[in-house]
Amino acid sequence: MNLFLDDLLIFFDDLLLNKISKKCLEISNQAFQVNNGNIPKWSQAIDTIDALPKGKVALKQPYISINQDGIDSELLMEALHKLIPWRKGPFMINDLALESEWNGDMKWQRITKYIKPLKNKRVLDVGAGNGYFTLRMAMEGAKRVLGIEPFLLFNYQFRAIKSMIKSPLNALLLPVKLEDIPKIQDQLEQIDYKQIRKIF
């Protein structure tokens, strides 16, 4: 199982972002080497999902929806269940609703006017959780969206969702802390939800 390496190489094939790729790769590799008893279970879930047919992603409010033909729904849900709790969402795979603890669509409706237009922007999504908003911003036309989230489970959840998409969005989630991102962050359109929350 390769959680992010292939995606990272494609994602950082960008003149600006390439400058931080080596540092991000180094930090991410270290993060995934931790001794966590859940990693075998999470990795097994990713391997199962990787082997399933890919589908098209779309917005079917309030869900990020993925339509896949010919999948074993029971096998998929069993794999996704190994990655609970799903903090942010919700997602829908075919007719299967993958509910989450937080309804990200409601928050998206509140913050969207403060972060648009996103088209052709490079965005740093700070404290991205499992990447629900990272994906939403990519779906809105952002050129690249880099989500950073040190909590490992959320990185596995993002990898699971992205693995189901046939034509991957220009979005990537890495287990990196904000203070570890090189100074190039000053040149990115930074989305920090702690700051946005102060608006409300």
Side-chain angles (χ1 to χ4, degrees):
M1 181 202 63
N2 176 356
L3 267 181
F4 63 89
L5 183 57
D6 291 342
D7 275 356
L8 187 142
L9 294 174
I10 295 169
F11 184 88
F12 284 109
D13 184 20
D14 174 287
L15 188 60
L16 177 64
L17 295 178
N18 189 258
K19 297 175 184 177
I20 64 171
S21 61
K22 185 176 179 181
K23 183 71 172 176
C24 286
L25 177 60
E26 176 186 315
I27 295 168
S28 298
N29 276 327
Q30 289 174 359
F32 284 112
Q33 299 306 314
V34 299
N35 185 15
N36 184 321
N38 288 307
I39 286 179
K41 174 179 70 173
W42 297 340
S43 298
Q44 186 182 45
I46 298 299
D47 287 339
T48 298
I49 293 166
D50 274 344
L52 296 173
K54 312 305 177 193
K56 294 181 179 179
V57 65
L59 183 61
K60 187 177 180 182
Q61 285 185 297
Y63 300 97
I64 291 179
S65 174
I66 303 170
N67 291 312
Q68 298 170 289
D69 292 327
I71 64 164
D72 183 330
S73 298
E74 188 174 328
L75 186 65
L76 174 61
M77 290 311 288
E78 183 181 322
L80 293 173
H81 188 72
K82 290 178 181 176
L83 299 172
I84 60 173
W86 287 79
R87 181 69 56 84
K88 294 180 182 179
F91 299 94
M92 179 174 282
I93 299 93
N94 291 344
D95 293 326
L96 303 171
L98 180 58
E99 300 295 350
S100 56
E101 294 176 347
W102 298 347
N103 186 336
D105 183 66
M106 291 177 67
K107 186 171 184 179
W108 178 261
Q109 299 308 322
R110 296 199 308 271
I111 68 172
T112 186
K113 64 183 177 181
Y114 296 101
I115 63 175
K116 284 188 174 179
L118 290 166
K119 192 168 179 61
N120 294 324
K121 289 187 177 178
R122 297 176 184 90
V123 182
L124 177 63
D125 184 2
V126 181
N130 62 4
Y132 174 84
F133 296 108
T134 308
L135 292 169
R136 286 290 294 255
M137 287 186 278
M139 292 170 75
E140 289 287 339
K143 184 175 184 178
R144 295 280 195 284
V145 187
L146 175 61
I148 54 173
E149 173 57 61
F151 190 51
L152 277 187
L153 173 59
F154 294 157
N155 282 267
Y156 279 85
Q157 290 177 353
F158 177 84
R159 176 63 172 79
I161 293 297
K162 195 169 180 196
S163 174
M164 289 186 261
I165 301 171
K166 188 173 184 178
S167 298
L169 299 162
N170 284 325
L172 183 66
L173 185 71
L174 295 176
V176 177
K177 296 177 182 177
L178 177 61
E179 56 266 31
D180 293 330
I181 293 284
K183 271 297 182 182
I184 197 172
Q185 70 189 43
D186 297 336
Q187 300 173 53
L188 302 176
E189 186 78 12
Q190 186 171 314
I191 305 297
D192 186 333
Y193 299 107
K194 290 179 182 177
Q195 296 301 318
I196 290 174
R197 276 199 291 271
K198 294 177 183 177
I199 298 170
F200 306 103

